[in-house]
Amino acid sequence: MSQSVAMIALLTVPGNLYAAPVREERPNAMEPVPPADVKIGGYVGHRLDRNLRGILMHKDENALLQPFRERSPKQSAWIGEHIGKWLSAASWTYAYSRDEQMLAKLKRVAGGLIATQMPDGYLGTYAEQDRWTGWDVWIHKYNMLGLLDYYDVTGDVAAIGACRKMGDLLVGTFGPGKRDILKAGEHSGMASASVLQPVLMLYRRTEEQRYLDFAKYIVEATERPDGPRIVSTLLQNGNVQQVANAKAYEMLSDIIGMIDLYRISGDDRLLQAVTAAGDDIIRHRLCITGGCTFGEHFRDEGYLPNAGHVAETCVTMSLMQLYRDLQRTISTGDVKYVGAAENLIFNHLLACQRPDGEQICYYTPMWGHKFYMDLLGCCISSGPRALAIIPSMYYLRWSAPPTQDRVLVNLIGESTLETTLPNSQKARIEQHTDYPFSSTVRIKATTEGWKGYSLSVRLPASASKPAISTNGQPVPLDALSEKMFNVLVRGTPLEMDIDLHLSWRIIEGTSANTGLFALQYGPMIYAFDLHANRDVPGAINCAFDMDLKSLAPQLVKTGDQWMAKVNGHIRQADGSWKPAQITLLPFADAGVRDYFSVWLVDRARHNPNGISLFTQVHENTSRLGSNRGSFADNSTATFTNTDNGEKRDQDWFEVDAGWHTKFNVIIFRHGKATPTGGWFDTSKGKPKILFKSWHDYTEVASITDYPATTAENPSTLTDGQAFRVVIPKDKREPAFRVRVTGTPAAGNKPAQNSASCSEIQVFYDPTVD
C-alpha cells in the first residue's frame, strides 16, 4: 500500500476524502472533520443510534450474499445493489460510532462478498450469458462504492484489490471499439453511467490514469446524441425534468460523479451543469418537507401528489449526497444547499425511518399511512445510507491551508466535536440545545493550542431574528451571509448564547392543495396524527382557522415525544363545528400507527366534496374521448369521457397512486350525460369497483345505488352525481389503483357508446365498520 493510500484509509469521511493523492484543479472549499470526532445527541442522535442498532445491525447477511453465491437468471435484476449500499451505510456508521459489533459484521459481509468475485474480476449477480445487461453495471457500481468505503475505514487491502479487478474489467469491457457503456444500463444509459463515481474514487486511491480516462469516456458518452445529454441539457435550460426521461435517482447518481470529476479536471461546465440541477430542484421540484419526485421522476412545478409513490427514498439519499457535495465545493457564503439539506433531514429523511430504526419507507407520503419495510428493496437499502451521511455534515473545516484554522458549525443540534485541526490545534466544541424544538443554543468552545482557531456558526434558515452573545458581548452577523457569524477561540474558553427566535409559520397550499395549509416550527413540519388524537371524538374530520392567533400552537414534550397542541374544530353530522384541541406530531414521527396528514384543512375553505387521498395522482381511462378533464381534482367542474366514436363492451376509469395506500371508502361521481351516451348502462349489471395491489385487479364492490339505466336512457342520473361505496371488510387491503368499470351507454346513436366520470375519490374513514 502506498503512503498516500494509507493516509486515505485513516482520514476518509463519507463520500469525500480528507486528503487526496491526486492533483485537483478545483479542490473543495470545505471538508468535514473526521466522523469519529463528532458525537451527536438529542433527537437526531437518537435516530442515528437506531439506524445502527436497528436495520443495519439486524440485516440478514445471508440474504445480502446469496445472490452472488448462486448467480441465476431468475433473480431480481438489481438484487445485487443491496450489499454495496449496506457496506457504505455500515462503513460510514462505523466511522462515526466506532461500534465493535458493527465492525465485526462489516468484516464478515465484505469478506463474504469478495469471496464470490470471479477470476476475471466480475462481481455481479447475473449468469454468464446475461452479463452487462439490465442493471449489471449498476450492481458493480454499488459493490465498488461499498468496498471502497469499507476499505477506507479498515484499510483491508483485499477490498481495494477487489475494486481494482472490477475497475479493470469495466475498462477492458467498455469504451471506444468495445461495448457501449450506455447500452449496458436503463434510463437512456444514466444507470450504467453512474459507475462514474466509484471509478473516480478508485482513481483517487490508486492514482492509475486508466481509471480517470475511463471516467472521462463515460461523461463524453452521456453527451452523444443518443445519450441522456445531462450536461448540455442543464446548461441550455437548467431544467432537470427535460434531461433524458427525467428519472431522478439515476440522473442524480450521474451528477454526483460529475462533481468529483469537476474537482479533478477543473472542467467548469460540469459544475455549471450540476449547480443548475441543484438550483432547479430547490426552487421548483421539492415538497415542503424537502422530498422530491412522484413516480420516481422529476415532475412539473406544482405537480406533487400527496399519496402513493411520493418522495422515493433513493432520491432522498441522492439529494443528501448532492447537497453535501455542492456545499463543500462551492463558495462558503452560499448556504442554500445546507439549508435544503436541513429541511430534508428534519422532515422527509427522518420521516422515511420508523422511529425504532428497524424499517424504512420505500416512498413516504404526505398523508395517509406510511408503509415501513425491511426487505431487499432499493429504497429500503438507501434509507440507512442517507441517514449515515448526517454526521459528516454537522462540522466542517476550511480546506485552504490558512495561517489559522477555521471550523464551521454547519448544523445546529445537540453535539460535541473533539478534534485536532491541520495546524495541530486541538479543538473542542459543544452544542447544548433542544433544537429543533427550542430556540436557545449554548455553544462552548475551547482550544489547547496558543494560536487558537476561528469558529464560524451557520444559523438555520428558520432563525428569523437571531441574537448572539459571547461571554456576554453581542456578536454581529457575518457580512458574507446573514445566517453566519465568526468568533475567535483562543486562550480563555468561549461561551456563546444564541437565541434563534424560531417562530411558527403557516405554509399555504397551492395547486391541488388549495384550501389546505401546513404548520412549521423551525425546520420541522408538523402533521395531524390520528393515533395521537384517539381520545378526540371525530378527530378525522378536523379543520382549523388558518391564522396563528386562532391556532395558538404550543410545543410540549410528553416522555420522549415532542408534539404541538393547536386549536381546531370537529365537523359534526349536522354540518356544524365543535371546538377541540388537536395534537400534531413532527412529520418524522407521524403515521407510525395510523392515518396522518401534513396538510391541514382551512375551515373557511372546507370542501364539502372532501379531499381525496388520491388527489392529483395518475389518471387512466379505457379510451380517450372528446373531453379529458381531470377526475382526481376534487371538483365536479371537470370530467372525462370515452366518446371516441367506437363501441365497447366495457369502459373504465382509474386513479393510480403508484404505491400502496390504505382506504375504505370510494366516491364515484358521474360526469355528464349527452344525447349520445356518457353514462353506465346498468341493464347488464351495476358498475363495479376494482382494486389493484401486487396481484391482478380484484373486484371489491359494486355501485349498488347507481340508477337503473339502459343503453338509451340515463334515468334519474344527474351530472356530477355522487355514489358513496364502503368497501366490505373482507375486501379491504392497501392498494394503489382504483378502477370503476361498467357497460357504456349509446343514447340515440347505437353504433357507438361511451361513459363519463367527474371524480373517483378515495378516503380513509376510521368510523366505518
Side-chain angles (χ1 to χ4, degrees), residues 196 230-235 238 240 251-263 267-282 321-323 325-327 329-330 336-337:
L196 171 66
I230 298 171
V231 174
S232 54
T233 303
L234 289 170
L235 290 177
V240 291
M251 187 194 311
L252 288 172
S253 299
D254 289 357
I255 286 172
I256 290 161
M258 291 175 183
I259 297 175
D260 199 25
L261 185 57
Y262 157 76
R263 289 194 292 257
D267 185 346
D268 290 329
R269 294 178 73 255
L270 294 175
L271 182 63
Q272 291 166 10
V274 171
T275 54
D279 293 351
D280 181 52
I281 291 167
I282 291 172
Q321 293 175 283
L322 177 69
Y323 297 152
D325 291 355
L326 279 175
Q327 185 197 9
T329 302
I330 299 177
K336 64 174 172 285
Y337 300 116

Side-chain angles (χ1 to χ4, degrees), residues 37-201:
D37 294 351
V38 180
K39 291 295 173 281
I40 301 170
Y43 184 77
V44 174
H46 172 71
R47 288 299 195 95
L48 293 176
D49 183 69
R50 294 315 310 158
N51 190 44
L52 161 64
R53 307 194 187 287
I55 195 168
L56 285 175
M57 194 65 77
H58 297 158
K59 182 63 71 175
D60 186 337
E61 298 172 31
N62 288 327
L64 293 172
L65 288 165
Q66 195 63 26
F68 296 89
R69 291 169 174 164
E70 296 183 13
R71 295 177 171 97
S72 166
K74 297 180 180 180
Q75 296 187 114
S76 168
W78 54 83
I79 191 73
E81 74 172 17
H82 306 297
I83 194 167
K85 288 182 176 180
W86 185 91
L87 283 168
S88 286
S91 296
W92 299 347
T93 299
Y94 170 70
Y96 162 69
S97 67
R98 294 298 173 182
D99 186 272
E100 290 300 319
Q101 286 183 298
M102 186 83 270
L103 177 60
K105 184 162 185 155
L106 258 173
K107 290 181 176 179
R108 289 195 304 271
V109 174
L113 176 62
I114 293 168
T116 67
Q117 189 168 35
M118 304 292 284
D120 64 352
Y122 181 80
L123 194 51
T125 58
Y126 284 53
E128 177 73 28
Q129 67 274 16
D130 298 323
R131 280 193 186 187
W132 311 126
T133 62
W135 296 86
D136 205 9
V137 175
W138 176 270
I139 290 169
H140 281 76
K141 173 191 78 170
Y142 272 113
N143 281 339
M144 291 177 72
L145 287 171
L147 287 173
L148 288 169
D149 288 329
Y150 166 74
Y151 166 74
D152 288 342
V153 298
T154 64
D156 187 343
V157 295
I160 193 76
C163 290
R164 278 181 179 270
K165 291 178 181 178
M166 281 188 279
D168 291 343
L169 179 61
L170 290 167
V171 170
T173 302
F174 299 100
K178 307 171 190 174
R179 298 185 68 146
D180 185 346
I181 189 71
L182 299 185
K183 298 297 189 292
E186 305 293 330
H187 304 292
S188 304
M190 290 192 295
S192 49
S194 68
V195 77
L196 171 66
Q197 184 190 4
V199 166
L200 287 170
M201 288 174 64

Side-chain angles (χ1 to χ4, degrees), residues 173 364 399:
T173 302
T364 308
S399 300

Side-chain angles (χ1 to χ4, degrees), residues 493-544:
L494 181 75
E495 291 195 359
M496 185 184 309
D497 291 295
I498 305 173
D499 187 345
L500 297 172
H501 284 284
L502 302 180
S503 59
W504 289 97
R505 175 187 172 219
I506 286 174
I507 303 175
E508 190 169 354
T510 59
S511 186
N513 294 319
T514 299
L516 306 173
F517 69 97
L519 199 57
Q520 183 180 37
Y521 182 78
M524 297 198 86
I525 302 290
Y526 285 77
F528 170 81
D529 182 274
L530 186 59
H531 182 77
N533 292 278
R534 58 192 179 279
D535 296 329
V536 180
I540 191 73
N541 298 313
C542 66
F544 305 84

